[in-house]
Amino acid sequence: ALGALEIKPGRGTQVTEYSFTPAVTLSALYAIGLDSHNFEHLRHMRDALELALWPEAVATLTPEDIAELRCLLAAAEKQLEDAPAQMPAREHRAFHLRIFSHLENPFVYGFLEAFWDAYEASGLHLHADLDYLRKVWDYHRRIVDAIEAGDVETSRRLLDEHMRLLNERKPVADGSQPTLEQRARM
């Protein structure tokens, strides 16, 4: 369950490289299964962690990282403009994780991976209002622009505003989120 061992027939059992992710993911999913409101607690912890470590994480980004963030932006924007529009869930996760990928802190990165696992398990990556998604990716673009300009404080402020967007998601009548296809028909 912790991912500490890898068992391969004919090759035996080997100890894997340490990862904090399996333990946190397992625990978070259990807590969310007991009470769905626990996702909000996890989200608040993630927000605080990213905001606190933002200057340090941004300082570690390379030109290759910036180029990858731009590629993720382009891929997400294309998916949102496709007919029917697609949910850029993989790109969203990769965007945030890329920014923190060089911190050399397995606990931070493991927690952030576990957050995205819980985000996906909670279904938040499946349904969203198309206007909401465009706002999310507009923030991502502005964050990268600020990082590239060397304006860490502006990029951090934009991250904070971006994180608050989740509170703006509009539920449909039954409390679920409309799919992108349903939104296009509205």
Side-chain angles (χ1 to χ4, degrees):
L2 295 176
L5 298 176
E6 185 176 288
I7 302 169
K8 291 185 178 179
R11 295 184 66 185
T13 302
Q14 297 180 347
V15 176
T16 61
E17 185 176 325
Y18 176 74
S19 175
F20 189 51
T21 306
V24 180
T25 300
L26 186 62
S27 182
L29 294 177
Y30 176 70
I32 292 165
L34 292 175
D35 182 348
S36 63
H37 292 99
N38 282 327
F39 177 78
E40 286 306 308
H41 299 302
L42 186 71
R43 183 172 71 90
H44 289 299
M45 188 171 159
R46 173 268 187 154
D47 293 355
L49 183 66
E50 282 197 12
L51 288 167
L53 295 175
W54 187 257
E56 184 180 345
V58 168
T60 68
L61 295 176
T62 65
E64 292 78 19
D65 294 316
I66 301 297
E68 177 60 22
L69 292 172
R70 293 269 180 218
C71 286
L72 291 166
L73 282 165
E77 290 168 348
K78 181 185 180 312
Q79 288 178 32
L80 293 174
E81 298 307 318
D82 281 349
Q86 303 293 314
M87 183 72 129
R90 184 193 69 78
E91 291 77 8
H92 198 187
R93 176 187 182 119
F95 182 90
H96 284 271
L97 289 177
R98 184 66 178 236
I99 292 169
F100 292 88
S101 65
H102 299 300
L103 284 184
E104 297 183 11
N105 183 328
F107 300 103
V108 170
Y109 198 79
F111 174 82
L112 294 175
E113 282 186 313
F115 166 80
W116 285 101
D117 290 344
Y119 182 90
E120 292 166 9
S122 297
L124 290 171
H125 71 297
L126 296 176
H127 309 291
D129 177 283
L130 193 52
D131 292 334
Y132 166 82
L133 289 171
R134 286 185 176 130
K135 281 184 188 179
V136 165
W137 286 95
D138 179 61
Y139 269 105
H140 287 161
R141 177 170 295 289
R142 291 166 43 207
I143 287 168
V144 174
D145 290 345
I147 291 170
E148 207 166 25
D151 191 347
V152 177
E153 189 49 42
T154 296
S155 68
R156 186 180 180 281
R157 179 184 51 78
L158 290 166
L159 174 71
D160 187 34
E161 291 173 13
H162 158 60
M163 289 173 165
R164 295 171 197 264
L165 282 178
L166 199 53
N167 299 328
E168 293 181 21
R169 285 177 62 134
K170 298 175 191 168
V172 291
D174 66 0
S176 66
Q177 295 291 330
T179 65
L180 292 175
E181 289 179 50
Q182 290 169 330
R183 176 66 182 146
R185 288 188 223 122
M186 294 177 159

